[in-house]
């Protein structure tokens, strides 16, 4: 081990040791995460051992290694702060060349819970597919190559995107990591159900392709060696080794660029004349004039730029689509699940002023009457409807097409409009009555001491919205249970739309005077945290 490599390995160990010394809470969290990870790794290892002898074990293992490598590739994008050594810019001032630094960082990267978990998975995979002495020998080489490819892949991705990861957009990406995990869990659940009903044989076509994609190709070599196809096994190992060399070369090139090229802090800022005036063009020109258009544009900019607001919107958009569509694909869905789309986006109307945080004082300065408060709330509702209405239509039509129940399309759209109108009404009122702060740092969505307000605002408002939708729900039931109900289901669309619009207008009218009267209390509540 060279001096640089030994130094960086010791540095990694020191970072882990010093991190545990900071507080008892962090020490407990690290120990608990290690125990849970090792327990999960042991269970996975046991499952892989039990897979041995299955006719489709090789297909499962190849797919598993590919998914494992994908996890190594995306984790630095979503959790860049999880490992301080992932940031190569910390080393740019040191007199080090890229090639020796790559070797040292690669060795240091093998220290940690992640590599240990990966080793357990790789060892279990070898046991599951190896048949004969030659296969086990190839399995040892495959384990080493696959581990190095996974680590090098993570490092190359981190080095290529480190400027992004340390910027505002990188923090946006980290905030959205929970969404990716949630969507991935739904995809895995859907795939598991399909495999449970049709068997593991469905994996074979995908596995045949992945056998030649590193690092899964290394375990394709183990299976090939077990079958006596030594030439194929050698080619697959060589392909994995070439991928490792290519990843290290890419990693070294990005390290060299980071260590020799200036970043944004050393480049002179653009002059004011070079900055493009974004407010004079683009979609903003299509918005209404006056205060309404200004508030709508501000709300839409929050959705696009503010990390917490963006995460909430993208999560709602994803869940509103996943629930009805995945249930329809599984054959267990109902067309009424399409109402999830309107319900999930309607939640965004709650705590409108809390989304502004301490910047709400600038909004409060422009509200001097009930009329001003009404226009402010109405414009925020318009901005939400600008996204929600076409999205609800899209999800409802897609769900209807998957289920083939076109006769119920008008009534589901009517129910969605009524639900959306009720949530806009209750959201506007609870925004004025139960405002709370949303911390900008970290992953908390409610400031300490305001959890009760958040529960009352969101869940109380949702219960109220459900009660307000009762007339349309009752009408839907009556029409569907009547003898000639099929001839009148179309009526639910205009009724639901008119009822929802009426509820929205009423809710805004009731919330406006309360907002105008309680501006100091609202400002104090949303500025905490």
């Amino acid at each position: 081990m060279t001096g640089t490599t030994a130094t960086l390995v010791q540095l990694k160990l020191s970072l882990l040791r010093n991190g545990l010394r900071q507080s008892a809470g962090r020490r407990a969290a690290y120990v608990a995460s290690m125990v849970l990870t090792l327990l999960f790794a042991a269970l996975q290892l046991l499952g892989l051992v039990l897979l041995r002898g299955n006719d489709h074990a090789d297909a499962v293992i190849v797919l598993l290694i590919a998914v494992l490598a994908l996890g190594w590739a995306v984790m630095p994008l979503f959790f860049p702060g999880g490992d301080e050594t992932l940031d190569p810019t910390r080393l740019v001032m040191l007199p080090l060349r890229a090639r020796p630094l790559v070797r040292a960082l690669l060795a240091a990267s093998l220290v940690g819970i992640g590599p240990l978990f990966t080793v357990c998975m790789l060892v279990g995979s070898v046991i599951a597919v190896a048949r004969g002495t030659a296969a086990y020998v190839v399995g040892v080489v495959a384990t080493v190559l696959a581990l190095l490819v996974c680590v090098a892949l993570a490092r190359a991705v981190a080095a290529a995107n480190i400027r992004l990861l340390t910027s505002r957009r990188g923090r946006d990406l980290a905030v959205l990591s929970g969404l990716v995990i949630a969507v991935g869990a739904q995809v895995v659940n859907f795939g598991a159900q399909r495999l449970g009903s049709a068997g593991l044989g469905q994996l074979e076509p995908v596995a045949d392709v992945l056998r030649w994609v590193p690092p899964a190709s290394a375990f394709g070599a183990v299976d090939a060696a077990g079958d006596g196809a030594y030439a194929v096994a050698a080619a697959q190992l060589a392909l994995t080794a070439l991928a490792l060399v290519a990843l290290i070369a890419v990693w070294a090139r990005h390290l060299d660029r980071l260590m020799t090229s200036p970043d944004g802090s050393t480049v002179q800022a653009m002059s004011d004349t070079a900055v493009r005036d974004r407010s004079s063009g683009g979609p903003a020109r299509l918005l209404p004039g006056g205060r309404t258009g200004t508030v709508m544009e501000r709300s839409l900019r929050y959705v696009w730029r503010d990390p917490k607001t963006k995460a909430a919107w993208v999560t709602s958009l994803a869940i509103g689509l996943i629930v009805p569509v995945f249930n329809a694909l599984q054959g267990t869905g109902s067309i009424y699940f399409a109402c999830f789309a309107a319900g999930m986006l309607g939640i965004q109307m709650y705590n409108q002023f809390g989304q502004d945080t301490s910047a709400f004082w600038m909004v409060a300065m422009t509200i001097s009457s009930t009329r001003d408060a009404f226009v402010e709330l109405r414009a925020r509702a318009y901005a939400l409807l600008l996204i929600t209405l076409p999205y609800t239509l899209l999800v409802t039509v897609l769900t209807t097409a998957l289920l083939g129940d076109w006769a119920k399309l008008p009534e589901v759209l009517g129910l969605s409009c009524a639900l959306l109108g009720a949530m806009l009404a209750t959201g506007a009122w609870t925004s004025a009555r139960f405002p709370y702060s949303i911390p900008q740092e970290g992953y908390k969505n409610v400031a300490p001491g305001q959890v009760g307000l958040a529960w009352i605002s969101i869940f109380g408002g949702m219960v109220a919205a459900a009660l307000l939708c009762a007339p349309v729900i009752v009408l839907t039931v009556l029409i569907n249970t009547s003898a000639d109900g099929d001839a009148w289901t179309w009526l639910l669309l205009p009724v639901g739309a008119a009822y929802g619009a009426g509820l929205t207008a009423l809710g805004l009218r009731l919330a406006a005077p309360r907002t105008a009267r309680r501006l100091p209390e609202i400002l104090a509540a949303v500025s905490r945290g």
Side-chain angles (χ1 to χ4, degrees):
M1 184 179 293
T2 64
T4 304
T5 302
T7 300
L8 286 183
V9 171
Q10 292 174 3
L11 176 61
K12 180 67 175 289
L13 293 172
S14 298
L15 286 171
L16 292 174
R17 184 170 58 252
N18 293 337
L20 295 177
R21 290 175 178 174
Q22 288 184 4
S23 65
R26 180 164 182 172
R27 188 183 306 113
Y30 184 82
V31 172
S33 64
M34 177 178 287
V35 171
L36 290 175
T37 301
L38 291 178
L39 179 61
F40 183 68
L43 293 175
Q44 290 289 323
L45 179 60
L46 178 61
L48 291 171
V49 171
L50 294 176
L51 188 64
R52 180 179 176 82
N54 187 284
D55 293 338
H56 305 290
D58 55 332
V60 174
I61 294 304
V62 167
L63 184 61
L64 177 66
I65 300 304
V67 172
L68 186 65
L70 179 63
W72 273 92
V74 301
M75 282 302 106
L77 299 177
F78 294 135
F79 304 102
D83 185 356
E84 293 89 342
T85 61
L86 279 175
D87 187 358
T89 58
R90 298 171 183 263
L91 307 173
V92 295
M93 299 303 294
L94 299 178
L96 299 172
R97 293 184 180 274
R99 293 289 178 180
L101 186 59
V102 164
R103 291 194 296 268
L105 287 175
L106 184 61
S109 301
L110 298 176
V111 178
I113 299 177
L116 179 60
F117 174 80
T118 303
V119 168
C120 292
M121 296 288 289
L122 297 177
V123 170
S125 299
V126 171
I127 296 174
V129 298
R131 299 179 302 278
T133 304
Y136 277 105
V137 172
V138 173
V140 173
V141 179
T143 299
V144 175
L145 283 176
L147 177 62
L148 293 177
V149 167
C150 288
V151 174
L153 178 61
R155 289 290 178 169
V157 170
N161 296 278
I162 193 62
R163 303 293 190 201
L164 168 67
L165 298 178
T166 55
S167 66
R168 179 182 62 82
R169 292 191 179 276
R171 292 191 292 271
D172 292 354
L173 193 63
V175 170
L176 296 177
S177 60
L179 169 65
V180 176
I181 294 174
V183 174
Q186 291 292 332
V187 173
V188 171
N189 178 53
F190 177 66
Q193 291 186 6
R194 291 292 300 272
L195 289 176
S197 60
L200 297 176
Q202 291 192 62
L203 298 178
E204 292 292 347
V206 179
D208 289 340
V209 176
L210 293 178
R211 291 178 200 279
W212 296 96
V213 178
S217 56
F219 284 81
V222 178
D223 181 59
D227 293 336
Y230 300 116
V232 174
Q236 290 172 323
L237 285 178
L239 182 61
T240 308
L242 286 175
L244 177 61
V245 172
L247 285 171
I248 291 176
V250 171
W251 181 12
R253 185 170 69 250
H254 284 293
L255 273 180
D256 185 68
R257 185 178 304 168
L258 286 169
M259 298 173 75
T260 57
S261 61
D263 61 7
S265 62
T266 58
V267 179
Q268 185 177 2
M270 291 188 300
S271 63
D272 293 339
T273 58
V275 178
R276 188 159 49 99
D277 183 8
R278 302 187 182 190
S279 63
S280 61
R285 293 179 299 178
L286 304 177
L287 299 177
R291 182 184 184 116
T292 299
T294 302
V295 175
M296 289 180 66
E297 183 177 0
R298 184 183 70 224
S299 298
L300 295 173
R301 285 183 184 274
Y302 277 161
V303 174
W304 181 249
R305 294 184 175 182
D306 180 65
K308 289 292 181 72
T309 306
K310 180 188 293 185
W313 269 90
V314 175
T315 302
S316 297
L317 288 167
I319 295 177
L321 178 66
I322 287 173
V323 170
V325 170
F326 272 52
N327 278 279
L329 290 173
Q330 293 173 7
T332 59
S334 167
I335 191 172
Y336 297 105
F337 281 175
C339 294
F340 264 93
M344 291 303 302
L345 294 193
I347 294 175
Q348 304 308 315
M349 189 63 187
Y350 292 84
N351 196 35
Q352 277 292 308
F353 306 128
Q355 297 174 17
D356 297 346
T357 63
S358 57
F360 178 68
W361 72 269
M362 292 186 290
V363 177
M365 293 292 291
T366 66
I367 299 177
S368 58
S369 65
T370 299
R371 175 64 183 173
D372 292 337
F374 175 78
V375 175
E376 175 75 23
L377 288 168
R378 185 185 62 185
R380 291 176 183 241
Y382 283 168
L384 190 145
L385 289 170
L386 198 61
I387 301 174
T388 305
L389 287 178
Y391 174 78
T392 300
L393 177 62
L394 173 65
V395 173
T396 306
V397 171
L398 179 59
T399 306
T400 304
L402 291 173
L403 295 174
D405 196 0
W406 292 101
K408 292 188 179 297
L409 178 62
E411 67 180 85
V412 175
L413 284 175
L415 283 171
S416 296
C417 290
L419 175 62
L420 180 59
M423 298 192 76
L424 290 178
T426 56
W429 191 85
T430 57
S431 294
R433 182 62 183 86
F434 303 109
Y436 59 91
S437 177
I438 301 177
Q440 291 300 293
E441 299 297 330
Y443 293 91
K444 293 183 178 180
N445 290 318
V446 183
Q450 294 185 326
V451 177
L453 282 175
W455 276 87
I456 294 174
S457 174
I458 296 178
F459 292 100
M462 291 172 64
V463 171
L467 294 175
L468 290 174
C469 289
V472 179
I473 295 175
V474 171
L475 179 61
T476 303
V477 173
L478 291 175
I479 289 179
N480 280 279
T481 55
S482 62
D484 56 345
D486 292 341
W488 297 98
T489 53
W490 64 270
L491 188 63
L492 291 168
L493 177 55
V495 169
Y499 185 74
L503 286 180
T504 301
L506 180 61
L508 295 176
R509 291 290 181 186
L510 294 176
R514 183 175 292 272
T515 300
R517 290 196 309 267
R518 300 188 71 246
L519 280 178
E521 292 89 341
I522 296 174
L523 180 59
V526 302
S527 299
R528 293 183 57 183

